[in-house]
Amino acid sequence: MFATIFNDLIVLFCFLVVGFILRELIKPLQKLFIPASVLGGLVALIVGPQVLGLIELPETLSGMPGPMIVLVLTAMFMGMKVSKASLKNYAGATDISCMLYFAQAAVGLLLGCGLSAVWDTLPEHWGIIGVFSFFGGHGTAASAGAIFSEYGIEGSLDLGIIFSTLGLVLAMVVGVIILNIGAKKGYVSTVTKDTDPSMYGGLIPEGKRTAIGMERVSGSGINSFALQLGILFVCIWVGDKLFALLGSVVPFVNKFPSFLHGMVGAIIVWLLLQAVHLDGYVDKKTVGTISNVALDICVTAAVATLNLKMVSTYLLPIVIYTVVLVALTIFVCFFFGKRWVGKDWFETVLIIFGQGLGSSTTGMALGRCADPDGKTCAYDSFGVSASVMGPVASFMVALFPMLCMQSDWIVIGISLAVVVACLLIGELTLRRK
């Protein structure tokens, strides 16, 4: 069995490297920040049985996203820290980010319900995928799709990858257009291109290279990378045993998806390590590296096994859904951003817009176009808002699909309540005089 998995990973990583080479050679792909995992997956999809039929992809490839997402979410909750001061500083940026997230969730679900009345074969609860795809990117979309697959709903993963790819492209294209409009209106002093080419691709200069992790123990005992990976697997094991125990008492617990096991296990293990002052053995950066490797495997496999029939069948609802959520993101960011964010509001909101449709990297890229020298407080504002919304968004990936299985209207109601709360906070306490 392990030999089969190993051979499948060889095929997958070959395509991942092909995607990286394409990204290095084709400059427009770098400018749009399309990740190598997406490109590699697309190459596999094209040469695979669904299009050209030149190669036979491993049958187990479609099963890789699920277990990889368990590892990603476990790593996300291991060593997580949230500053209590985050909500007090840069409140405008935080309020905008929060309102945008839950507005995408509410409008996406409402739109999904409406479009499903016309295209009744669309996956159940598919409207919630938008917020995970646009605000979270390919990784979060793959997580949500894998979760719905555990509930027996197929097709959400395919839609999530489609929306994430569209979001990345539109974030840069629309973002640059908005940036130029803002420059003409005097919202930003200069519009220049980033002078650091390594931001897009190629080798990072020696002076700017950073470590992918730090050694916490001597290699004579155990490899530091192996220790961090081992801690994550311990978290998953602890979660599995806990849920098995709870399931023997409360059978309903057995219906919970497996990705929750790792998340809960990570929280328990992390709290125990802190309590006995052994949390220093956890290197968050190495844990993040492991998470990113699992995420690359997940996205490459998900794109490679994308259901092209679904794309052709539901092209119109996909376009309608994307247009509406992009318009919503523009409105929330720039209408309310001008009212609620104080200093350097345009640069700050431009970064949030980029993240709201693509990823943090996309947002930072747009921010560098408007403020290449980092003279504004936009990066600090975004950093604080991201530190608050990161844990919230991670938790919602687990919570929203579970609630949707009960009723979409539960999630719509919660999301609208948060949107109203953010609106009141913004208008009553943050609005600029």
Side-chain angles (χ1 to χ4, degrees), residues 74-75 77-78 228-241 260-270 273:
T74 303
F77 278 78
M78 170 52 63
Q228 305 305 317
L229 184 60
I231 291 173
L232 293 179
F233 282 131
V234 167
C235 294
I236 296 172
W237 182 83
V238 169
D240 284 342
K241 295 301 180 184
L260 276 178
H261 301 183
M263 293 168 58
V264 173
I267 294 172
I268 293 172
V269 172
W270 176 240
L273 289 174

Side-chain angles (χ1 to χ4, degrees), residues 157-329:
L157 179 57
D158 298 314
L159 287 174
I161 295 299
I162 294 166
F163 287 138
S164 297
T165 304
L166 289 173
L168 269 177
V169 174
L170 291 173
M172 291 304 298
V173 173
V174 177
V176 170
I177 293 173
I178 292 174
L179 173 57
N180 282 278
I181 294 173
K184 290 180 180 179
K185 291 191 173 184
Y187 297 148
V188 57
S189 57
T190 59
V191 179
T192 62
K193 294 183 178 180
D194 194 334
T195 56
D196 182 8
S198 65
M199 175 183 174
Y200 298 105
L203 283 174
I204 299 176
E206 285 195 23
K208 296 185 178 181
R209 296 174 188 175
T210 58
I212 60 174
M214 296 294 293
E215 283 191 323
R216 295 298 178 108
V217 294
S218 171
S220 61
I222 186 174
N223 177 272
S224 291
F225 191 90
L227 174 62
Q228 305 305 317
L229 184 60
I231 291 173
L232 293 179
F233 282 131
V234 167
C235 294
I236 296 172
W237 182 83
V238 169
D240 284 342
K241 295 301 180 184
L242 175 63
F243 275 80
L245 178 62
L246 293 175
S248 64
V249 179
V250 184
F252 178 74
V253 174
N254 293 322
K255 297 182 179 180
F256 289 176
S258 60
F259 70 89
L260 276 178
H261 301 183
M263 293 168 58
V264 173
I267 294 172
I268 293 172
V269 172
W270 176 240
L271 291 175
L272 286 175
L273 289 174
Q274 286 183 306
V276 297
H277 306 292
L278 294 176
D279 51 303
Y281 284 95
V282 176
D283 180 47
K284 184 61 178 171
K285 201 158 189 180
T286 303
V287 169
T289 298
I290 295 171
S291 174
N292 290 335
V293 172
L295 197 55
D296 276 339
I297 295 173
C298 173
V299 173
T300 305
V303 176
T305 56
L306 192 66
N307 187 346
L308 291 181
K309 185 178 179 181
M310 172 172 286
V311 179
S312 59
T313 303
Y314 302 119
L315 182 61
L316 186 55
I318 287 172
V319 171
I320 294 172
Y321 187 94
T322 301
V323 169
V324 171
L325 260 68
V326 169
L328 172 70
T329 303

Side-chain angles (χ1 to χ4, degrees), residues 86-87 89-99 381 384-385 388-389:
S86 296
L87 288 173
N89 300 316
Y90 305 103
T94 304
D95 199 35
I96 290 290
S97 295
C98 185
M99 183 175 179
S381 299
V384 172
S385 68
V388 175
M389 283 307 300

Side-chain angles (χ1 to χ4, degrees), residues 134-147:
F134 294 127
F135 200 99
H138 287 87
T140 310
S143 302
I147 292 166

Side-chain angles (χ1 to χ4, degrees), residues 87-145:
L87 288 173
K88 297 180 180 180
N89 300 316
Y90 305 103
T94 304
D95 199 35
I96 290 290
S97 295
C98 185
M99 183 175 179
L100 175 60
Y101 184 91
F102 288 95
Q104 284 187 352
V107 174
L109 268 175
L110 287 169
L111 191 58
C113 292
L115 293 173
S116 292
V118 181
W119 290 273
D120 56 3
T121 54
L122 279 161
E124 292 182 80
H125 319 294
W126 71 280
I128 194 62
I129 294 296
V131 66
F132 301 134
S133 301
F134 294 127
F135 200 99
H138 287 87
T140 310
S143 302

